[in-house]
Amino acid sequence: MPHTHVTPSTASDRAKAAAVLVLGLVGLLWALEAIDVATGHSLDAYGIVAREPGELADVVPAAFVHFGFAHVAANSVPLLIFGFLAALGGIRRFLAVSLMVVVVSGLGVWLVSPSDANTAGASGLVFGLFGFLVARGFVERKALDLVVGLLVGAVWGSSILLGISPADTAVSWQGHLFGLLAGVAAAFVFRRRAPRA
């Protein structure tokens, strides 16, 4: 008698997959910075210098390069938290959202940053995942996602607002702002529609 074996996708399985993915991503950032330091900061060349045509090739790589371990550390905790919460909703969607955020944030930096600045780091992705998490609950009207978004907004909202302020010239508010906007847009672009009855 024929039969099929169905492996249920449990919440525990999704949580493990999300944790492994995000820990791997953050681990990669630390490994790349270790390589950067060991090679005399050779990877800093993958940052984005605005409006130089050749720099468009660095739009994606720039998100993985940092200027020192303190820079990586500043992005690691929010990336772990926001990344894990976003990846719980599905690995493929998380990857699609992340790619959209990285590209839009990088292009925003390329378009409007000062021409004498070299910009790199995962903070654009951090701001994008924040925007995605906050907007997702409102877009999809799911109670749990709405609660998660409200909690994330309440805890980190003030830091995010400071991060998009042009007053702090030490950070790329351009990358932060475009990342945030891309994350909100991604909540619409990659929203899950309710199944038809």
Side-chain angles (χ1 to χ4, degrees):
M1 186 174 178
H3 66 279
T4 57
H5 177 71
V6 178
T7 303
S9 178
T10 64
S12 175
D13 292 335
R14 289 195 300 272
K16 287 177 184 175
V20 168
L21 176 64
V22 178
L23 284 169
L25 172 60
V26 173
L28 173 63
L29 300 183
W30 282 88
L32 287 172
E33 186 54 31
I35 293 170
D36 186 44
V37 170
T39 58
H41 301 286
S42 63
L43 298 185
D44 291 356
Y46 290 96
I48 301 167
V49 178
R51 293 172 297 285
E52 291 285 342
E55 294 292 305
L56 286 170
D58 294 333
V59 162
V60 172
F64 298 89
V65 176
H66 291 79
F67 301 130
F69 288 112
H71 190 196
V72 184
N75 285 328
S76 292
V77 173
L79 187 55
L80 283 169
I81 296 170
F82 300 161
F84 176 73
L85 291 173
L88 281 176
I91 299 300
R92 281 186 295 180
R93 182 162 70 152
F94 168 78
L95 293 174
V97 168
S98 297
L99 180 60
M100 177 176 169
V101 168
V102 165
V103 170
V104 173
S105 175
L107 288 175
V109 166
W110 187 85
L111 283 168
V112 302
S113 286
S115 58
D116 59 348
N118 183 21
T119 303
S123 56
L125 178 58
V126 168
F127 278 66
L129 291 174
F130 171 89
F132 173 74
L133 290 170
V134 171
R136 180 180 63 180
F138 293 98
V139 171
E140 298 184 4
R141 299 180 183 178
K142 292 181 179 176
L144 182 58
D145 289 341
L146 191 58
V147 170
V148 168
L150 290 173
L151 285 173
V152 166
V155 174
W156 284 281
S158 59
S159 297
I160 295 296
L161 287 175
L162 287 173
I164 61 174
S165 169
D168 189 353
T169 56
V171 300
S172 173
W173 63 266
Q174 299 92 342
H176 295 173
L177 176 60
F178 279 92
L180 179 64
L181 295 174
V184 172
F188 288 89
V189 173
F190 300 108
R191 68 185 178 274
R192 287 220 170 95
R193 293 174 175 82
R196 294 181 178 178

